[in-house]
């Protein structure tokens, strides 16, 4: 049993990972400022697991407040989810993204060093690959980013690589997530976006539940079999397991490691729509729209390295992901607000 600090633990991926950690018998401490989440998610994680979580309502950008967490707890590792993630908003308000994502991470590193906590898993993103030269994408591909959100992820990766060179006692996992979707099978926790969703699956589920009129499919003239973009959708519970595997690796004193967390399978927008229609049991209205700026035709992981080195293999299918995304949405049409 280890004592794990989870920053951003009330969020979408964080809440599912906290649950996975509790189920493995770890003790979890969450730090969250609820800028994009609701404390109800933590209550529900406690309900599902039958275990308690220690919560600090705190902004990781506030060094003094954040330090209290380290003073009061002898931690074994940190999983750092806290961050802002909306690509479009990062283009309109770049400083907010640089401030929040970079300062929170710099504070975290200072505190980890000061309090001798040497194991860190960081939420990076497949966005650091930009438009890849080919698919599947391997971890050693060139990195390039095209928006402030993506730049914060790449900058933090660079910071961590620099930091690791001169702090060899640190073990750091850079985890590059592909497209997390779905929800815990209980239907009690899931993705609860603010306002109109930017991402595909929450948009579809909100159309299915009657909150939005129709899905706009961004582009049907891409060089893909059906003309719509291809992505590597991964069940959020698989992603949560990926963190458990990565933590085990950190405890082997591995230094800095980098892993894709994806399934290795690519599905087009229309294929996801069909899977969602099957889960919902009725057609979902949609219309083709122009391409969305910044979208790339195809993006999917090589999951080989994560499998070989940390034994991670995604087990849920696209139909499982669709079923669980719908189960969450239909049970919680207003997200955590109700
Ligand atoms: P989320 O917004 O649901 O969770 C992030 C959590 O961090 C929220 O609870 C938010 O309130 C909290 N937070 C933000 N800034 C904070 C701060 N300064 N101090 C304390 N808490 C703070 O997002 P998510 O989908 O769970 O993503 C988690 C991480 O994974 C993020 O870093 C995100 O960039 C990264 N990521 C997400 C995706 C995705 O598709 N969801 C893909 C790749 C990477
Ligand atoms: C997006 C971000 C990425 C971020 C990830 C997780 C962009 C360009 N990329 O990835 O940086 O890490 O979310 O937050 O924003 N689609 C539609 N209609 C919609 C919504 C999406 O057709 O209403 C299509 C998109 O064109 C894309 C696919 O669905 O082809 C998936 O989109 P989305 O869920 O937003 O994920 P990404 O764009 O892959």
């Amino acid at each position: 049993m280890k004592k794990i600090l989870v920053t951003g633990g009330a969020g979408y991926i964080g809440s599912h990972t906290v649950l996975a950690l509790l189920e493995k018998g770890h003790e979890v401490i969450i730090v969250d400022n609820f800028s994009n989440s609701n404390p109800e998610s933590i209550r529900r994680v406690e309900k599902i697991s039958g275990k308690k979580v220690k919560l600090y309502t705190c902004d990781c950008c506030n060094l003094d407040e954040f330090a209290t967490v380290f003073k009061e707890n002898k931690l074994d590792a940190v999983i750092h989810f806290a961050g802002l993630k909306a690509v479009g908003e990062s283009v309109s308000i770049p400083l907010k993204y640089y401030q929040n994502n970079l300062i929170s991470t710099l504070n975290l590193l200072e505190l980890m060093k000061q309090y001798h906590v040497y194991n860190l898993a960081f939420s990076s993103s497949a966005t650091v690959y930009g438009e890849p030269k080919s698919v599947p994408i391997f971890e050693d591909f060139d990195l390039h980013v095209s928006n402030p959100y993506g730049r914060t992820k790449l900058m933090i990766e660079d910071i961590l690589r620099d930091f690791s060179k001169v702090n060899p006692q640190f073990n750091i996992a850079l985890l590059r997530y592909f497209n997390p979707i779905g929800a815990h099978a209980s239907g009690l926790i899931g993705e609860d976006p603010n306002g109109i969703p930017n991402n595909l699956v929450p948009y579809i589920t909100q159309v299915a539940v009657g909150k939005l009129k129709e899905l706009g499919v961004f582009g049907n003239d891409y060089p893909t079999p059906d003309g719509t973009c291809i992505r590597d959708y991964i069940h959020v519970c698989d992603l949560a397991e990926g963190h458990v595997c990565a933590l085990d690796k950190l405890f082997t004193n591995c230094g800095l490691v980098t892993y894709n967390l994806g399934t290795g399978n690519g599905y087009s927008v229309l294929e996801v729509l069909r899977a969602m229609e099957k889960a919902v049991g009725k057609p979902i209205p949609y219309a083709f729209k122009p391409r969305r700026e910044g979208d790339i035709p195809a993006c999917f992981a090589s999951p080989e390295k994560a499998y070989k080195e940390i034994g991670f293999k995604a087990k849920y299918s696209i139909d499982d992901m669709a079923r669980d995304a719908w189960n969450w949405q239909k049970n919680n049409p207003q997200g955590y607000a109700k």
Side-chain angles (χ1 to χ4, degrees):
M1 199 260 287
K2 305 278 188 193
K3 204 180 257 199
I4 318 286
L5 171 63
V6 181
T7 73
Y12 173 47
I13 307 171
S15 56
H16 288 81
T17 303
V18 168
L19 182 57
L21 294 170
L22 292 171
E23 283 170 346
K24 288 277 172 331
H26 295 303
E27 190 180 332
V28 175
I29 293 147
I30 292 179
V31 170
D32 206 299
N33 65 357
F34 301 107
S35 57
N36 195 39
S37 55
N38 187 315
E40 177 63 16
S41 66
I42 301 173
R43 283 193 284 277
R44 296 198 187 176
V45 165
E46 290 182 332
K47 186 173 165 190
I48 302 167
S49 64
K51 294 181 177 164
K52 284 277 167 213
V53 170
K54 191 163 173 187
L55 168 67
Y56 287 84
T57 302
C58 159
D59 191 325
C60 303
C61 295
N62 182 327
L63 185 60
D64 291 342
E65 272 184 28
F66 198 8
T68 311
V69 181
F70 285 78
K71 272 182 215 140
E72 293 182 356
N73 301 280
K74 173 107 194 60
L75 302 168
D76 294 301
V78 181
I79 306 183
H80 184 41
F81 291 108
L84 297 172
K85 63 165 183 178
V87 174
E89 188 188 55
S90 82
V91 174
S92 336
I93 326 174
L95 293 189
K96 182 175 166 186
Y97 277 68
Y98 290 119
Q99 276 276 351
N100 190 72
N101 294 2
L102 297 178
I103 304 292
S104 58
T105 309
L106 293 173
N107 284 348
L108 175 64
L109 291 177
E110 284 294 344
L111 291 169
M112 289 181 73
K113 208 170 162 196
Q114 192 180 335
Y115 288 89
H116 310 287
V117 183
Y118 294 139
N119 299 301
L120 170 66
F122 169 64
S123 297
S124 187
S125 166
T127 198
V128 297
Y129 295 114
E131 183 157 3
K133 61 182 182 202
S134 57
V135 279
I137 298 171
F138 292 87
E139 285 84 350
D140 61 359
F141 273 23
D142 289 347
L143 306 177
H144 16 223
V145 283
S146 60
N147 57 68
Y149 163 72
R151 258 188 283 284
T152 67
K153 291 293 171 194
L154 186 50
M155 283 176 175
I156 294 169
E157 283 204 4
D158 284 335
I159 289 168
L160 292 171
R161 280 184 282 266
D162 288 342
F163 178 81
S164 147
K165 279 185 205 144
V166 286
N167 292 282
Q169 72 278 34
F170 268 78
N171 303 302
I172 300 175
L174 306 179
L175 303 177
R176 296 178 180 154
Y177 312 153
F178 282 68
N179 289 54
I181 60 168
H184 188 258
S186 63
L188 287 172
I189 55 172
E191 188 169 14
D192 183 17
N194 274 329
I196 297 177
N198 300 308
N199 298 116
L200 179 64
V201 169
Y203 202 103
I204 295 177
T205 58
Q206 293 202 9
V207 172
V209 87
K211 285 175 80 176
L212 297 168
K213 199 166 113 298
E214 66 176 16
L215 171 73
V217 174
F218 299 143
N220 61 346
D221 58 350
Y222 284 99
T224 60
D226 66 17
T228 66
C229 294
I230 291 174
R231 296 287 181 273
D232 185 340
Y233 297 93
I234 175 168
H235 196 297
V236 67
C237 293
D238 273 333
L239 192 58
E241 276 306 314
H243 290 78
V244 175
C245 298
L247 273 186
D248 289 343
K249 178 76 176 180
L250 293 177
F251 294 129
T252 66
N253 214 6
C254 58
L256 185 137
V257 290
T258 306
Y259 299 113
N260 287 339
L261 294 181
T263 66
N265 301 314
Y267 289 96
S268 73
V269 175
L270 291 179
E271 286 172 324
V272 173
L273 185 68
R274 300 294 168 234
M276 287 302 306
E277 288 181 329
K278 200 155 94 182
V280 173
K282 63 174 188 197
I284 292 166
Y286 72 96
F288 290 115
K289 295 278 157 68
R291 291 180 176 196
R292 179 173 71 180
E293 204 186 317
D295 279 346
I296 54 173
C299 170
F300 55 91
S302 162
E304 296 292 308
K305 188 178 176 212
Y307 181 58
K308 275 198 203 117
E309 296 190 12
I310 61 174
F312 170 68
K313 193 171 169 53
K315 61 174 195 258
Y316 291 103
S317 70
I318 192 74
D319 287 336
D320 298 332
M321 300 180 216
R323 177 199 62 214
D324 292 341
W326 176 235
N327 186 42
W328 154 254
Q329 180 74 75
K330 77 170 188 295
N331 289 323
N332 305 270
Q334 307 305 327
Y336 290 115
K338 271 261 169 253

